[in-house]
Amino acid sequence: MGRRKKDFNTSDGFEEWGGYKKAKVSKLDEQFKDESKIVKISDIFQGVAIMVNGITRPPADELKKLMAQHGGVYHMYQLSSTTHIICSNLPTVKIRNMGTKPVVKPAWITESISLGKIIDFRRYLLYTHQSISQPRLDFKVIDKPSTSMNQSTTNISPEKSTKICVESEVKSPKKIEVTSRSTKTASDPNFLEEFYNNSRLHLISTLGAEYKQLVCQIRDKHDGFFLGRKKLAATRGNTTNMQQENRETVIMHIDMDCFFVSVGLKSRPDLIGKPVAIAHARTARTANDNTENRSLEFAMYEERNGNIAAGASRVANLDGRASMSEIASCSYEARKCGVKNGMFLGRAAQLCPDLITLPYDFEGYKEVSNLLYQTIASYTVDIEAVSCDEMYVDCTEILRETGLSVSEWATHVRGEITAITGCPCSTGFGANRLQARLATRKAKPNGQFHLKADIVEDYMSDIPLSDLPGVGRATLAKLANLGLTTCGDVQISSLKCLQSELGAKVGETLVDQAKGIDKKPLNYYQERKSISAEINYGIRFKSLEEFWSFLQTLSHEVYNRLLDTGMRSRCLTLKLMVRAATAPVETAKFLGHGICDNLSKTTSSNQIIGSADVVFNEAKVLYEKLNAPFCDLRGVGIQLTKLEKPGNVDNALGKFLVKKSEEAGRKIRGKVR
DNA sequence: ATCCTCCCCTAC
DNA sequence: TAAGGTAGGGGAGGAT
């Protein structure tokens, strides 16, 4: 399986974020030029640079040759100069390519060559991005008798299609836009990669980890010179004029406003000010009616979560055709109607009939995140990355050196972030991370707020407990049972009582939080404690072999992630989601996990887990102990724990890992100079 | 007391 | 149709 986001993990520094090593690229280009000298036939693809995505007909090698023969360029990776993505099948299109480059079927190339001139690629679009004002080509699923089930005219072979399609396509491009119906489950060998390429949660998770790692690297190699800070100080002239507030520790919390939506609106400024949501589904109504399966599952869901109001309302009023695609992000206009992140699109559309959906743009999110982190890193490396769109920054030094007041600094840095990223953000300031975070909540959207020490106590008493980080729906329900809804309520209740209800630690933390106290300092270095990979979507095995095969893929995935971190592990946990005994076999949500029991089993030993095969075999053993029929599996995960740095070089793996981390270290140091 | 396993909860 | 991941904190209860 191809590794993902390698550009990030191996990045040597800011200057190359989001790009590829120039040396590598030019080598590829050169290789290509050599080949093109030999076989030049025409120049029809002058100015065209393609990147092939997935399996195509003709295959990538052939397309590479054709491009060479006809004046075009072939890119192994997608570069900024890539003009077209070539792809045969809709399922293999990677969403991350969709932001900017047209995804075109290979017939565009073969047929252009046949005609001896370049055809307008828009007739061969596999998929259109909303932001591009091109004629929209809709996929039509043709429900035909079974004879045509596997015939997909998307994959027209070049020799056949040339004569048949070119003319008719020009007049009626929709005719070739046909795919056969295919439901992709984890039984498909490509499922894992495809799923990850489309999973927002996977993206959020992996990006978060990558920014944490990157901030560490930047901090390690930094020489102490901050261009942004120096420039800012210079505009202020004499900086010895310190203000009172500049002597205390000031923590800043930065959070982009409805991040995914803001990135999406960059290419759709016409939608600014309208209710917008990011989701996979385009429409809030589905073609198929699933009323029967839904009514039972929703009833069970309410039964199970009856005491948690927020959970039950999640599926309230959803009929059999309401889309259960989840909203990843929604604009403030949509929130005014009650739309929330994570809500099903069908439900959101009930609340907000004018809701407009935009597709994901994973590549765009990365670009904006890179710019955000670069911007802040030009002022300080006292950064704790929280996620791709959120971080804590210790501003104490910046304020001292520049002589700015908190509000001046906030205005400046927010202006710069907005100018550079094209996206609005909010900042909150306080004496600790909790105060900074609560200040951001007040600041949003597109604002700034400083929660000053002298008002903290008063300020906190009105804050609803749901605003506290760490207090989710379960804790909230427990607190509500105690009659507590605000921080003020907690301030006057007994620690003992809270601890007996919530546990010793959580109770203690809550009492602190209610007073605005946060004892946790910013965390600049975080040691990994676990590595896991899990899939709880699309899990439908028809045979044990299918499950073994998937488990093996998952084992490789998680082991590769372990190698990436350079750590070793001695403990493995298999996590299963198993259809609850009374839950319907068909879930309310298409290929969702439905209502499940969660099971896990752990094995640990003094032996290092030394290969993906070991992972697989251990997981297999654990599965057999868990006694869950493969047909009832709805989710599978593998987690590795008891991680350690490979200090002991007593085996081949240890030597390999030490060598690997030394190489990584050299790369980083080599860049500093 | 402290650790281990099997959970649950939370956040992005 | 839809893409419900992943890491950390921590509690309950049993083993050491």
Side-chain angles (χ1 to χ4, degrees), chain A residues 12-28:
Chain A
D12 291 337
F14 271 133
E15 58 272 46
E16 288 178 359
W17 276 19
Y20 293 88
K21 293 194 178 60
K22 286 194 174 63
K24 192 174 175 187
V25 170
S26 64
K27 197 179 165 194
L28 285 173

Side-chain angles (χ1 to χ4, degrees), chain A residues 14 218 222 225-232 371-381 383 398 409 412-413 416 420:
Chain A
F14 271 133
I218 300 297
H222 204 272
F225 178 78
F226 297 102
L227 186 59
R229 196 193 294 187
K230 284 284 176 301
K231 277 187 189 164
L232 190 54
L371 293 171
L372 169 68
Y373 276 90
Q374 278 183 64
T375 305
I376 300 305
S378 75
Y379 293 97
T380 183
V381 287
I383 300 169
I398 300 171
W409 158 244
H412 170 82
V413 75
E416 192 167 310
I420 288 175

Side-chain angles (χ1 to χ4, degrees), chain A residues 57-255:
Chain A
R57 206 183 308 169
D61 275 355
E62 180 67 17
L63 291 171
K64 182 178 176 182
K65 207 170 98 192
L66 290 175
M67 291 307 283
Q69 291 171 332
H70 298 277
V73 176
Y74 177 95
H75 288 163
M76 200 78 87
Y77 308 102
Q78 186 181 334
L79 306 173
S80 57
S81 56
T82 304
T83 59
H84 300 76
I85 313 294
I86 307 297
C87 184
S88 272
N89 298 306
L90 181 65
T92 54
V93 172
K94 301 196 171 47
I95 286 290
R96 65 168 191 267
N97 292 328
M98 297 227 162
T100 47
K101 318 284 164 113
V103 181
V104 184
K105 285 174 283 189
W108 172 55
I109 293 169
T110 53
E111 293 176 14
S112 292
I113 292 170
S114 300
L115 276 185
K117 62 172 189 177
I118 190 162
I119 305 173
D120 189 335
F121 70 87
R122 286 177 296 185
R123 291 174 192 146
Y124 298 83
L125 284 172
L126 191 62
Y127 178 98
T128 58
H129 191 263
Q130 283 198 8
S131 66
I132 305 169
S133 56
Q134 290 164 346
R136 181 72 195 282
L137 300 179
D138 285 313
F139 277 82
K140 266 212 184 113
V141 176
I142 293 194
D143 287 316
K144 279 241 178 89
S146 57
T147 46
S148 65
M149 266 307 278
N150 290 323
Q151 283 179 0
S152 161
T153 38
T154 310
N155 292 328
I156 305 162
S157 63
E159 61 280 12
K160 244 173 138 184
S161 59
T162 308
K163 293 243 157 48
I164 301 167
C165 290
V166 170
E167 286 308 311
S168 61
E169 256 186 78
V170 171
K171 286 176 199 126
S172 176
K174 287 190 181 185
K175 273 201 177 158
I176 64 151
E177 298 291 329
V178 178
T179 72
S180 65
R181 181 183 295 268
S182 73
T183 52
K184 279 231 170 183
T185 68
S187 306
D188 189 303
N190 295 320
F191 177 79
L192 192 84
E193 184 172 12
E194 193 183 316
F195 174 76
Y196 279 144
N197 282 333
N198 290 290
S199 162
R200 77 187 197 280
L201 291 173
H202 174 77
L203 182 91
I204 289 170
S205 208
T206 49
L207 274 191
E210 281 165 17
Y211 283 105
K212 280 174 199 195
Q213 186 189 322
L214 240 123
V215 166
C216 283
Q217 283 182 21
I218 300 297
R219 202 175 149 84
D220 274 343
K221 72 172 194 180
H222 204 272
D223 59 5
F225 178 78
F226 297 102
L227 186 59
R229 196 193 294 187
K230 284 284 176 301
K231 277 187 189 164
L232 190 54
T235 64
R236 301 283 298 177
N238 180 9
T239 62
T240 55
N241 226 350
M242 289 201 315
Q243 306 191 11
Q244 171 64 28
E245 62 179 349
N246 291 358
R247 287 202 212 109
E248 291 150 13
T249 295
V250 178
I251 303 298
M252 170 171 70
H253 179 240
I254 306 181
D255 197 349

